[in-house]
Amino acid sequence: IAPVHSVSLTSSKTVLIVPSSEPNYPNYYGTTQREWLRDVIQQLLDLGYDYEIRTKPGRKNRSKGNQLTDQLRSGKYLCTVSQHSVAAVETVMAGYPAVVTGPHPAGELATPWREFTQGHFRTPLGYETVEWCDTLLGNCRHKREIFEGSWK
């Protein structure tokens, strides 16, 4: 799929916030993207972190050089913070800690927000990330398979 690296920590104090698409917040969490960002930013500042926000590029702009992994490779960030986003998986594949504030697809590889606020980061090894990606890919189904029931 893509190169996978073991997660390691940098000395950076800058966190890259990767919000989900706006409709996810009211539909799933009873809040808005703006409120989620406000809360996360305030808590990051209280913990002494700097931050940047990565807005989700449109599909046409998600080309080589403009992907999350490209931004992380700059070495500028300590980790990402996200919720309800595949960004958590992309982050650990790139070798950075993924902090999550709620539901996400990264399983045990991601650091829950509560652990992060206590100074702990989960740092999975490369093989653990590969095993998790294999699990995700092994459970992916095309909508046709789901509608027809052929996946059973």
Side-chain angles (χ1 to χ4, degrees):
I1 316 166
V4 173
H5 305 278
S6 293
V7 172
S8 58
L9 296 174
T10 68
S11 59
S12 176
K13 293 291 281 179
T14 303
V15 172
L16 183 59
I17 302 172
V18 188
S20 296
S21 300
E22 173 64 39
N24 289 329
Y25 294 92
N27 288 337
Y28 296 104
Y29 308 110
T31 188
T32 65
Q33 184 186 71
R34 179 179 291 209
E35 290 168 344
W36 180 82
L37 281 168
R38 183 195 65 224
D39 293 344
V40 167
I41 289 168
Q42 187 56 60
Q43 291 178 65
L44 288 172
L45 294 173
D46 291 347
L47 291 166
Y49 290 101
D50 297 322
Y51 68 91
E52 287 184 18
I53 300 171
R54 177 180 170 84
T55 56
K56 188 173 186 176
R59 291 205 185 276
K60 290 181 182 177
N61 295 324
R62 293 182 206 170
S63 59
K64 270 288 199 220
N66 192 30
Q67 296 174 338
L68 173 60
T69 52
D70 297 317
Q71 193 169 354
L72 289 171
R73 273 195 293 271
S74 73
K76 183 177 181 179
Y77 307 100
L78 170 64
C79 64
T80 61
V81 173
S82 64
Q83 176 173 314
H84 197 107
S85 176
V86 75
V89 175
E90 293 176 28
T91 299
V92 295
M93 286 179 69
Y96 289 83
V99 177
V100 292
T101 62
H104 61 89
E108 295 296 315
L109 304 178
T111 304
W113 183 259
R114 182 180 195 123
E115 288 181 26
F116 167 72
T117 62
Q118 295 169 353
H120 176 73
F121 289 95
R122 294 185 184 182
T123 54
L125 299 173
Y127 79 89
E128 294 172 305
T129 303
V130 169
E131 287 175 358
W132 181 248
C133 288
D134 286 345
T135 299
L136 290 175
L137 291 171
N139 290 295
C140 288
R141 304 287 182 236
H142 188 275
K143 64 183 175 184
R144 180 182 35 76
E145 294 176 294
I146 293 170
F147 293 140
E148 294 172 356
S150 61
W151 60 275
K152 295 179 184 181

